[in-house]
Structure formats: structure tokens, C-alpha cells
Amino acid sequence: MSDTPVLDVRALSVEFPGRHGTLTALDGISLSIQPGEILGVVGESGAGKSMTGLAVQGLLEPPGHIAGGEVHLAGRRIDRLSDRDMEKVRGAEIGAIFQDPLTSLNPLFSVGQQLIETIRQHLDLGRREARQRAVELLAEVGIPAPDERVDHYPHQFSGGMRQRVVIALALAARPKLIIADEPTTALDVSIQAQITALLRRLCDDHGTAVMLVTHDMGVIAETADRVAVMYAGRLVEIGPVVEVIGNPQHPYTAGLMGSIPELGARKPMLTQIDGSMPRLDSIPRGCAFNPRCPHVMEKCRTDRPELVVSGSGASACWLNDKEDVA
Ligand SMILES: Nc1ncnc2c1ncn2[C@@H]1O[C@H](COP(=O)(O)OP(=O)(O)OP(=O)(O)O)[C@@H](O)[C@H]1O
Ligand SMILES: [Mg+2]
């Protein structure tokens, strides 16, 4: 079925039991990504962006665990698989790209050895074909002279080229979904755009779905199709990038927009958000954003707004509650 999303996350909650009670790190997150689509995930530090990616990949650090909800990959439920089956899903069906390319690369092996090992783990190819495929992958991610570079070691590449190698590695098994967590944060600004353009092209060429986690609204504006905005472990707004950026429905999203310099300059009425994200052990009642919200109402301090669909997007804010306005 072509309209089955590659990733379908339904009411996902993640908890960390601790000595002083249970912390809710993710609280009812629902989102989906279609084939060939890039979903940006934004929010300030601690919003739960990385946690969402880790939960989807079954990589939560115990005692952290999925406490509710479901994760479906291409129509198959994956949140209840055994560790062994989940390991097969990672690598084969989900590719991961992290902020620091060196966490994904082993300094002791050439990039070719690492690519070939991954390719042979997941695809039924002999050594020579796997090596050929490794060279093709390096070419595809824009590494010059790939048939020489395949025998080089990670330290022989620049930061940007290393991240390209990591992308090649993430693509090696032809995954349906790529989870990229701050893939350009550690790179020079001039290289960042090249890497995001590369992700965009790969997504278009192969129909790969991409979850692009970043705190940078500028990257989202340039790269993503839709964007999910997170705050204190909750989804506060989701929708097409153009709409969310041009006409944010949630005051938190509007505040984040003020942090894109170019767009901020054109929209002088947007201000920086005062205060900071609450810790997990002190998430306010009602709307978690209420202490920082310029439009806070009485209700926001007591009642939690649910995500309400309007048009092609959705937001969780009492301001958008039509019944209340009427
Ligand atoms: N192992 C853990 N145990 C308990 N809480 C954790 C653990 N790891 C992360 N957290 C908490 O979960 C919340 C979400 O963290 P997460 O790493 O997803 O944030 P993020 O949005 O990716 O932020 P950043 O932009 O800094 O990467 C934070 O409050 C964090 O302190
Ligand atoms: Mg993170």
C-alpha cells in the first residue's frame, strides 16, 4: 500500500523510573513520516528530540522504557520486538546518523572495511560486489575519487567528508527510514548546507523517509517537508514547514521562529522566549509552556491542551480551541 507511512508513532510515552518517582520523558507523541518525506523535529535542548529517535530505534537506556503507545515501521509494529529482532531492524531498515561522525566510525578500520561489513550483514553480496557497492555509495554521497578513498581511514577525512561516509554507512543496507540527530551541528556552516542538500537528494531519489532532529529552524526551513515542534516531552505543533514557519499556531513555535536570524529580521514582532525548558521532575500542570507563554490564560495553568488538527497541521494550545473562542 503506497499510503502506508514509513514511520507511524502513536501516542508514544517514555518513562524513567527513579528513586524519587517516575520521570515522563515523552508524553503521548504521535507523528508519521511518508516515503520520500523529511520530517524535521525541533525544540530547545531537553525537549525530547533525541529521546524520540532513540525510542523509535529501540535504543532507550534502561531503566528508560516505552510506557505506552506504538511504533510502526512500514506497517509492522516494532516496539515490542525482542532485542535480537530489533537489532535486525536497525541497520537493515533504519539507518542512523549522529552529530559526531566519529561515534559511528571505527578508527581502526578503513571506511571500505566498515562499509563492506555492513553491506554484507544486510545484503546477500560477495566480497567483490560488496566492495563495488561501497565505492558506489561513497560516490553517491559525493566523495571524490571514491575508488581510492574506500581504502582510507576515518582520520584521513575532513569533518564534512566523514559525515558523508556516515551517511553512506547509514544507506548501506538501503533502509526505509533514516534518523538523523543533529547531523550538521558539528560541521562548518558552509558544509552544513551541502550535507542537508545531500539528505534531501537521497530522500528524493530513493523514497527514504527521514527524521531530521535539529534545534536549528533554519535547517528545517531549507530541508524538511513537515516539522514537529516538541516541548518538555510533548508535541506542541506539527504541520507543513511553510505553514508552521509562516503561520505558527503555537506561541512556543512562534517564539522559536524568532531564533531564525533571516526570518526573524523580516518578522520584527516575534520576540525571544524568556525563561527555559522545565526539568522533567518539574513540568508545570496544564500546558507545560504556560509559565513562559505571552498569551497565557487561566485555563492553561490547570488543563492540558490536546493536539487538535486544523487544516494540514495540528497544535496543542487553548488559543486554538475554537469552542472556547466562540
Ligand atoms: N538516561 C536518562 N535518564 C533520565 N532522563 C534522561 C535520560 N536521558 C535524557 N533524559 C532527559 O530526557 C529529556 C529529553 O532529552 P533529549 O536528549 O531527548 O533532549 P533533546 O531534545 O534531544 O535535547 P538536545 O537539543 O540538547 O539534544 C531531557 O530532560 C533529559 O534530561
Ligand atoms: Mg538531542
Side-chain angles (χ1 to χ4, degrees):
M1 240 167 46
S2 61
D3 57 355
T4 304
V6 174
L7 179 67
D8 191 8
V9 173
R10 304 178 192 164
L12 183 68
S13 293
V14 165
E15 292 181 352
F16 282 85
R19 272 190 302 146
H20 305 290
T22 295
L23 299 177
T24 303
L26 294 183
D27 195 345
I29 301 292
S30 294
L31 52 83
S32 65
I33 314 179
Q34 296 295 328
E37 186 178 52
I38 298 185
L39 176 74
V41 179
V42 291
E44 292 163 294
S45 188
K49 305 180 298 294
S50 297
M51 194 70 75
T52 304
L54 293 172
V56 165
Q57 296 175 81
L59 288 177
L60 292 173
E61 237 175 81
H65 64 278
I66 292 179
E70 302 180 2
V71 180
H72 296 250
L73 187 70
R76 173 189 180 209
R77 186 165 177 188
I78 59 165
D79 56 282
R80 293 200 163 163
L81 298 180
S82 66
D83 289 351
R84 203 162 152 257
D85 286 342
M86 200 59 209
E87 210 167 299
K88 281 189 207 152
V89 168
R90 285 192 299 273
E93 293 176 78
I94 304 178
I97 303 168
F98 296 103
Q99 177 170 334
D100 179 1
L102 290 178
T103 57
S104 309
L105 297 170
N106 187 327
L108 302 178
F109 294 95
S110 72
V111 303
Q113 287 170 309
Q114 298 179 56
L115 280 164
I116 290 165
E117 192 197 331
T118 307
I119 290 165
R120 295 198 67 191
Q121 250 169 32
H122 299 290
L123 305 175
D124 185 24
L125 292 179
R127 265 213 93 69
R128 272 191 48 205
E129 291 102 323
R131 185 184 162 88
Q132 189 49 42
R133 171 100 182 110
V135 172
E136 285 165 18
L137 280 166
L138 292 178
E140 182 165 18
V141 298
I143 292 188
D147 39 0
E148 284 168 34
R149 294 300 248 161
V150 71
D151 294 316
H152 290 187
Y153 289 77
H155 74 267
Q156 295 173 283
F157 292 81
S158 66
M161 284 296 155
R162 241 179 248 149
Q163 195 60 303
R164 287 174 191 266
V165 172
V166 172
I167 295 174
L169 208 52
L171 289 173
R174 298 199 185 102
K176 301 182 177 91
L177 173 69
I178 288 184
I179 297 182
D181 194 340
E182 307 275 6
T184 61
T185 308
L187 305 176
D188 287 351
V189 176
S190 59
I191 310 294
Q192 287 180 3
Q194 294 174 17
I195 296 293
T196 48
L198 170 63
L199 277 177
R200 178 76 262 176
R201 182 167 59 74
L202 295 170
C203 180
D204 293 342
D205 289 356
H206 301 287
T208 316
V210 177
M211 179 189 283
L212 177 60
V213 171
T214 173
H215 61 271
D216 186 339
M217 268 292 190
V219 168
I220 297 289
E222 282 162 24
T223 321
D225 299 294
R226 286 188 306 130
V227 57
V229 183
M230 294 188 67
Y231 189 81
R234 304 168 183 192
L235 197 62
V236 297
E237 180 162 1
I238 184 166
V241 164
V242 183
E243 287 171 33
V244 173
I245 289 181
N247 185 21
Q249 297 298 303
H250 198 288
Y252 179 60
T253 315
L256 283 181
M257 294 312 146
S259 62
I260 321 182
E262 321 89 271
L263 294 177
R266 265 181 269 140
K267 297 192 167 193
M269 65 282 198
L270 295 180
T271 49
Q272 292 292 332
I273 329 165
D274 289 334
S276 58
M277 173 98 56
R279 289 160 39 132
L280 293 184
D281 59 5
S282 51
I283 294 177
R285 264 181 80 199
C287 173
F289 185 59
N290 87 69
R292 301 172 71 189
C293 184
H295 306 290
V296 63
M297 304 177 287
E298 212 36 57
K299 191 175 190 175
C300 310
R301 302 188 211 273
T302 49
D303 298 355
R304 176 175 169 178
E306 293 302 322
L307 204 65
V308 175
V309 175
S310 96
S312 42
S315 62
C317 175
W318 288 122
L319 285 174
N320 306 326
D321 188 45
K322 298 292 179 271
E323 276 173 52
D324 218 45
V325 173

